[in-house]
Amino acid sequence: MDVDSSTVGVEEEFLLADPRTGAPTAKNDAVARTAEDLGLDLQLELTRCQIETNTRVHTRTGELAQQLRDLRRGVASCAEMNDARLLAVAIPPTVPLHYPVTDTPRYRRIADGFGMLAHEQGLCGCHVHVAVPDRETAVQVSNYLRPWLPLFLALTANSAIYRGVETGYKSWRNILWRRWPSAGPPPYFGCADDYDDLVAMMLSSGIMLDEKMVYWDVRRSITYPTVEIRVSDVPATVAETTLLATLVRATVIMARQSLDEGRTAPPVAAEMLRAAYWKAARSGIDGDAVAPMDGRVLPARELLAELVEYVEPALKELGDREFVADTIAAVLERGNGATRQLRAFRAGGDVAAVVAELSEATLEGCALPEEPPLGFGEAGAGSPLR
């Protein structure tokens, strides 16, 4: 298989926060208008304290990383122009009683249909799109991805502090997100028709209002010829987002190679996957993990090493083996977003220290010397994912 046919793109959701208090601020429409005037296309999310960026389609990891840096830098500038701070965090460290829902017809319908689930959102994730040739391949690739989803979550966990306290979880976002009836790990599907039948039932029953509410952590995109992996918290840094995208892409490539050889994914029990999810959300990358394939309990770092070994042929073809090894070593040494949040909170004693740490991590590696404040590079150019 030509690995360049498995192109990749990324969506990142961000929190807009008050620069003085760190509390969510309802300014996504103003930030999006400022960005549009400057040639940068942003997407509104369910609540008005969220904003989303979409990259172009990429074949080279270095180019993807550069655009992610350009986008974060550009959106941060637009937020600052509207008295807001951009934070790459999966759930607000400090929150109001509820979130104002973005005033669009679709989001108003969601708020009316799902009540406080919509008003208690503000949850920011990262979605990785990888190209696949057809709907059947998308479903079969999803089956291969299922057992690795908890590990992707553990690697990127970035929501340890909520309402000004430690949650006891590295990804509290994941715990809250799975309250939605159409969220969580996807079922194991025998074929694309089985996928479509379940989606049709969920629509007819009112469990979902439209196909965009297929919130499974792997889903077939309804807009693009891609499989979309949605399990991750928004990572704290561009380097971590790029690492996630690279590992996801390599896993999809390995799955497609297996399918080309006539091998389908072995099923993993939903109960085992549920246990692995909870453990990943609880412990993150620093603790133990459950391997859904066989129920082993082992350090998450060792399970990560097993994933890297599994996808090494794809990484070698992509030319990304060294990048993955170096970035994993750096993340494990310094800690991911959840680790950094907890370290800052325990050292500073309050949520202000967490907000400062997150603000620094959001733009880590994004600054360009002697660059005009609103220089976006090519962040707004090309064909976005959405």
Side-chain angles (χ1 to χ4, degrees):
M1 190 190 80
D2 177 13
V3 296
D4 282 351
S5 68
S6 290
T7 54
V8 63
V10 173
E11 302 168 350
E12 288 193 298
E13 299 166 348
F14 298 100
L15 177 73
L16 297 172
D18 185 288
R20 292 160 294 276
T21 67
T25 185
K27 294 186 176 181
N28 65 354
D29 51 351
V31 172
R33 284 196 301 269
T34 299
E36 183 178 10
D37 292 342
L38 297 165
L40 184 61
D41 183 28
L42 302 180
Q43 308 299 322
L44 302 181
E45 275 298 314
L46 176 59
T47 68
R48 292 181 59 204
C49 62
Q50 296 170 276
I51 201 77
E52 180 184 285
T53 63
N54 301 165
T55 72
R56 299 187 304 276
V57 174
H58 290 278
T59 59
R60 299 289 179 264
T61 297
E63 294 171 0
L64 172 64
Q66 183 58 55
Q67 191 183 15
L68 288 167
R69 287 191 288 267
D70 289 344
L71 285 167
R72 286 197 181 196
R73 188 175 61 251
V75 182
S77 294
C78 293
E80 184 177 358
M81 293 176 66
N82 288 278
D83 193 32
R85 175 183 289 179
L86 190 76
L87 296 181
V89 62
I91 195 166
T94 177
V95 298
L97 293 177
H98 71 280
Y99 300 91
V101 171
T102 299
D103 190 20
T104 68
R106 180 171 180 268
Y107 287 150
R108 287 196 298 271
R109 287 178 59 219
I110 290 175
D112 290 341
F114 294 87
M116 284 301 293
L117 278 182
H119 290 280
E120 287 189 341
Q121 278 300 99
L123 311 183
C124 296
C126 177
H127 307 158
V128 179
H129 287 255
V130 182
V132 291
D134 52 60
R135 56 195 288 271
E136 188 64 44
T137 301
V139 169
Q140 298 302 329
V141 164
S142 173
N143 290 338
Y144 267 103
L145 287 167
R146 289 174 77 242
W148 297 111
L149 294 174
L151 181 61
F152 293 141
L153 172 64
L155 179 63
T156 60
N158 189 23
S159 46
I161 307 297
Y162 185 53
R163 298 188 185 274
V165 299
E166 295 187 25
T167 65
Y169 290 78
K170 300 300 176 63
S171 177
W172 187 239
R173 165 195 167 272
N174 184 262
I175 300 297
L176 296 181
W177 177 244
R178 284 191 282 133
R179 296 177 302 176
W180 287 85
S182 56
Y188 186 99
F189 293 106
C191 62
D193 287 343
D194 292 344
Y195 181 105
D196 293 339
D197 288 345
L198 183 55
V199 169
M201 181 279 292
M202 296 169 81
L203 289 169
S204 65
S205 66
I207 291 172
M208 303 185 306
L209 299 184
D210 54 37
E211 286 195 51
K212 290 182 179 180
M213 289 190 72
V214 175
Y215 289 153
W216 291 324
D217 291 330
V218 185
R219 70 180 183 184
R220 189 181 71 232
S221 174
I222 62 174
T223 308
Y224 302 101
T226 66
V227 60
E228 181 183 3
I229 295 81
R230 305 165 48 85
V231 68
S232 172
D233 284 4
V234 62
T237 66
V238 166
E240 291 167 71
T241 297
T242 309
L243 173 63
L244 171 71
T246 304
L247 289 173
V248 166
R249 184 187 184 193
T251 309
V252 171
I253 289 170
M254 297 304 296
R256 288 185 58 187
Q257 289 181 351
S258 294
L259 293 171
D260 288 345
E261 295 165 2
R263 293 182 285 122
T264 56
V268 172
E271 295 80 7
M272 186 70 77
L273 201 53
R274 179 180 175 86
Y277 259 73
W278 185 89
K279 188 63 176 171
R282 168 73 169 162
S283 302
I285 200 62
D286 299 317
D288 284 342
V290 173
M293 297 79 76
D294 52 22
R296 286 176 299 139
V297 178
L298 72 168
R301 297 177 181 216
E302 292 184 13
L303 189 58
L304 179 59
E306 291 184 12
L307 171 63
V308 173
E309 182 179 6
Y310 166 60
V311 301
E312 185 175 9
L315 294 176
K316 186 175 180 180
E317 276 199 77
L318 292 168
D320 289 336
R321 188 166 55 178
E322 183 177 352
F323 163 75
V324 166
D326 291 347
T327 308
I328 286 176
V331 172
L332 294 182
E333 179 180 0
R334 182 167 184 174
N336 63 7
T339 303
R340 293 171 71 156
Q341 287 184 39
L342 289 168
R343 186 187 302 130
F345 187 76
R346 291 166 182 172
D350 61 22
V351 77
V354 178
V355 172
E357 177 71 18
L358 291 169
S359 182
E360 178 182 346
T362 299
L363 296 179
E364 187 173 284
C366 295
L368 291 179
E370 300 180 3
E371 183 191 29
L374 296 176
F376 294 147
E378 296 182 357
S383 299
L385 285 171
R386 180 174 296 174

